């Protein structure tokens, strides 16, 4: 009998999140839930069988290491930072599977608790996670999520069951996952992936880095999106507004299809600007530089037509390695980057660690308030051996092309003076050894990212060769908002009148001292703020390479002399809402 009932239409559902990738994806849901993956049964092992159980563990570890090796070669297919980041992490996984503390611990546990290898793996990982805060092995302490991933892989190798699979994806898949480990990302075929939605990870998470460098739209969901999705559902990932739309209506689909086409058209037209100099309509030349985190980023820096690297975050060399990088290793990486930039300047920031960044890995004891503690230049000046090795490597690498040295989190002139003395000593030593150095030596600049440094910018300018304003931290410290704390994210506002005044004050101090000043925080890459920043007299901006063409387009359409009065009105406005409106008006 024929049914008279009409098919039930599922209403579209819209979820909010944080946009971490770029663009818009329309695809089908492919769920990936790592939490549902590891179920292990504990079985008693008699004393006589302990040795063979330990042997079984070692064999499984070797098999798991073999799979990691296969992923390492797959990761090499990914270009730029994605491949590089994954390479480092997969190396770390490989090390953990070869006679590491984890493997030794599991072997011991099989013998002491008389349990099977799978249960011993899970127990050992659970204990390691609990001991997270108090572990003396700083390398492992910093890598607890990676240890969990290695544990999952060990159990997979022991049981012979596939714990998770991302290798065979439907075409146009949007992966909806609780989290994506670097190994997961290495195993996926970018050809079939349209976008990513994850629950864990901030703007600087692995997912974000990979999404950006593969050019994938990605959103980190605020809700437990996995519990609302089913495989095969239609999904839209709006990586511009940070929206996830499930089962979109025909009208929404049509809007987003148009939006995708417009974005594609815009990208094509922006590509034509690569070789065009960034000059305003009234003839002011602006230097557009790029921020990089990995040497692999250079490809996109050159493709975007950047005039140099305005900020090279050097922390990556200290990530995911069992021991600190040697001076020689740092020299090799840095000289390679400098050579590839082919005469364009590279601004190398010295190690910026502390608080959220790599603290545990470098053996730093968390102070009562890490954000205000021994971090960045303070750490370097305390741990001289690490600092000397890094500075020597930079000085030696500077023989291969123009380099600038940038010091993070400077708060007083004494810090700059001390660094100058160290540079002079290292230079003398290197010259004595017959090492070729740049002549003149690289300029020494400071990041202005502490309100006190901005207010003392005139004194700092007298000791510095250039300034780079780090508005990410400047906003955090001016407004007392932890930039990694989601609970207060609604208050994080680089357009707060206090932050804007500090930027303006710094720009004026730099102009008076006739030293170059750039902005290298996230706002530098926001084309809506370009008129305001140039209105402050800033003529150098450094940003993620992907943002550069859009900022350039804005510069080409700008008449700076016509907006100076409006910029003055903005900086004298103290009401945040009125200020926001004025900035929006100026953005055009
Ligand atoms: C900043 O603080 O604005 C900055 C560019 O440095 P980071 O984001 O690396 O702290
Ligand atoms: Mg900073």
């Amino acid at each position: 009998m024929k049914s008279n009932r009409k098919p039930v239409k599922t209403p579209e559902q819209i979820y909010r999140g944080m946009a971490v990738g770029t663009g818009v994806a329309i695809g089908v849901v492919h769920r990936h839930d790592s939490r549902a993956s590891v179920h292990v049964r504990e079985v008693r092992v008699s004393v006589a069988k302990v040795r063979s159980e330990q042997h079984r563990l070692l064999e499984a570890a070797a098999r798991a290491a073999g799979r990691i090796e296969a992923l390492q070669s797959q990761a090499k297919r990914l270009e730029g930072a994605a491949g590089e980041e994954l390479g480092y992490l997969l190396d770390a996984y490989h090390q953990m599977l070869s006679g590491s503390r984890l493997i030794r611990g599991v072997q011991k546990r099989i013998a002491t608790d008389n349990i099977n290898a799978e249960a011993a793996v899970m127990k050992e990982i659970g204990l390691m996670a609990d001991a997270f805060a108090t572990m003396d092995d700083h390398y492992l302490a910093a890598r607890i999520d990676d240890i969990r991933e290695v544990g999952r892989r060990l159990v997979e190798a022991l049981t012979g069951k596939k714990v998770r699979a991302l290798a065979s994806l439907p075409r146009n898949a949007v992966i909806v996952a609780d989290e994506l480990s670097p190994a997961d990302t290495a195993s996926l075929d970018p050809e079939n992936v349209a976008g990513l939605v994850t629950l864990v990870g901030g703007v600087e998470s692995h997912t974000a880095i990979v999404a950006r460098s593969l050019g994938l739209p990605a959103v980190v969901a605020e809700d437990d999106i996995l519990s609302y999705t089913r495989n095969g559902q239609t999904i839209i990932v709006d990586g511009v507004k940070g929206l996830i739309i499930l089962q979109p209506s025909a009208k929404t689909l049509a809007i987003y299809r148009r939006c995708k086409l417009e974005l594609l058209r815009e990208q094509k037209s922006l590509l034509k600007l690569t070789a065009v100099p960034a000059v305003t309509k009234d003839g002011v030349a602006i230097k557009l530089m790029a921020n990089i985190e990995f040497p692999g980023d250079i490809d996109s820096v050159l493709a975007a037509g950047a005039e140099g690297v305005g900020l090279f975050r050097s922390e990556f060399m200290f990530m995911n390695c069992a021991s600190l990088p040697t001076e020689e290793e740092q020299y090799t990486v840095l000289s390679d980057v400098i050579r590839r930039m082919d005469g364009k300047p590279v601004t190398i920031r010295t190690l910026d660690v502390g608080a959220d960044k790599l603290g545990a890995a470098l053996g730093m004891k968390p102070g009562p308030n890490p954000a205000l503690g021994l971090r960045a230049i303070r750490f370097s000046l305390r741990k001289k051996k690490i600092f000397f090795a890094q500075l020597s490597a930079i000085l030696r690498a500077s023989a291969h092309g123009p380099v600038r040295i940038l010091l993070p989190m400077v708060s007083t002139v004494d810090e700059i003076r001390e660094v100058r003395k160290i540079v002079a000593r290292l230079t003398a030593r290197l010259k004595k050894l017959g090492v070729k150095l740049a002549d003149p030596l690289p300029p020494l600049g400071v990041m202005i990212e502490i309100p006190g440094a901005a207010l003392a910018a005139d004194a700092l300018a007298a000791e510095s060769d250039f300034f780079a304003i780090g508005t990410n931290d400047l906003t955090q410290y001016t407004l007392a908002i932890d930039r990694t704390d989601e609970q207060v994210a609604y208050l994080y506002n680089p357009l707060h009148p206090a932050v804007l005044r500090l930027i303006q004050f710094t720009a004026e101090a730099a102009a008076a001292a006739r030293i170059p000043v750039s902005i290298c925080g996230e706002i530098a890459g926001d084309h809506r703020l370009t008129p305001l920043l140039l209105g402050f007299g800033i003529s150098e901006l450094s940003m993620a390479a992907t943002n550069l063409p859009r900022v350039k387009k804005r510069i080409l359409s700008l008449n700076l002399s016509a907006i100076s009065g409006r910029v003055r009105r903005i900086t004298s406005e103290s009401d945040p809402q009125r200020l926001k409106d004025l900035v929006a008006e100026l953005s055009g």
Side-chain angles (χ1 to χ4, degrees), residues 278-427:
V279 181
T280 64
K281 273 188 160 164
D282 47 344
V284 182
I286 308 297
K287 214 174 199 173
L288 293 184
M289 319 259 269
N291 294 350
I292 64 166
E293 291 178 39
F294 302 98
D297 290 331
I298 294 293
D299 298 336
S300 47
V301 170
L302 294 170
E307 289 183 60
V309 172
L311 170 65
F312 183 3
R313 294 179 165 105
S314 62
E315 291 78 60
F316 85 96
M317 281 186 274
F318 296 76
M319 271 164 49
N320 305 310
C321 46
S323 55
L324 291 171
T326 61
E327 177 186 323
E328 209 50 43
E329 283 163 349
Q330 295 183 62
Y331 166 74
T332 307
V333 173
L334 296 175
S335 0
D336 181 48
V337 167
I338 295 161
R339 277 199 212 98
R340 283 171 63 201
M341 284 304 291
D342 198 20
K344 295 190 171 99
V346 179
T347 312
I348 304 168
R349 182 175 71 184
T350 61
L351 195 53
D352 185 9
V353 290
D356 55 316
K357 291 180 194 158
L358 278 172
L362 285 168
M364 294 167 71
K365 278 200 218 94
N369 193 338
L372 305 181
L374 188 69
R375 51 177 309 181
I377 189 63
R378 304 167 190 180
F379 173 86
S380 291
L381 289 173
R382 180 73 60 87
K383 305 270 178 181
K384 294 260 171 48
K385 223 170 131 190
I386 299 177
F387 194 38
F388 282 18
Q390 184 173 38
L391 278 180
S392 274
I394 299 174
L395 288 169
R396 287 171 55 201
S398 69
H400 301 290
V403 164
R404 306 196 300 174
I405 302 175
L406 180 59
L407 307 175
M409 302 281 304
V410 166
S411 60
T412 141
V413 285
D414 292 338
E415 287 163 334
I416 313 171
R417 287 181 189 145
E418 197 176 341
V419 175
R420 284 208 189 274
K421 275 192 205 145
I422 294 171
V423 169
R425 267 198 1 238
L426 290 174
T427 308

Side-chain angles (χ1 to χ4, degrees), residues 311 313 349 352 357 447 449 470-473 483 520-521:
L311 170 65
R313 294 179 165 105
R349 182 175 71 184
D352 185 9
K357 291 180 194 158
M447 299 269 308
E449 45 190 349
T471 44
N472 306 341
D473 276 313
R483 63 194 255 201
C520 60

